[in-house]
Amino acid sequence: QVQVAESGGGLVQAGGSLRLSCALSGRTFSKYTVGWFRQAPGLEREFVSAISGSGRTTDYADSVKGRFTISRDNAENTVYLQMNGLRPEDTAVYYCAVYKTIYGFGSKIQDYDCWGQGTQVTVSS
């Protein structure tokens, strides 16, 4: 059974940093893209970043480019999201999810499954 667990959220002032972790279990994840998404109150869940199974390919939403960095450690089955220069508009629940197909890659939410419970990130101004 696949399990996905996010951690690392919290309250931070604008300009601060957080590192989110996504722990994966129940499958060999080195062949699967993992994505980070976020959902703010009253808004739809949106794509933040994705990393291919090998880690060689990454993608970012325009709103976080240059501030967020995604990485992964396949030996530890963990994907990270380093968030620097945080802004109040980054406040949301952050989720990670696994791409449905081996070697697939993309930013469409419908192409991902195995969602975690999310971790709250709150950025104060």
Side-chain angles (χ1 to χ4, degrees), residues 12-41:
V12 64
Q13 289 188 333
S17 298
L18 285 173
R19 188 175 82 155
L20 305 184
S21 298
C22 174
L24 309 161
S25 62
R27 184 188 293 176
T28 301
F29 288 97
S30 59
K31 297 178 181 179
Y32 290 87
T33 289
V34 174
W36 283 98
F37 296 79
R38 67 187 181 186
Q39 188 166 17

Side-chain angles (χ1 to χ4, degrees), residues 79-100:
V79 175
Y80 303 98
L81 186 68
Q82 177 68 43
M83 306 187 297
N84 299 328
L86 283 162
R87 305 167 179 169
E89 55 263 39
D90 294 318
T91 295
V93 177
Y94 283 70
Y95 301 89
C96 66
V98 182
Y99 206 87
K100 290 179 180 177

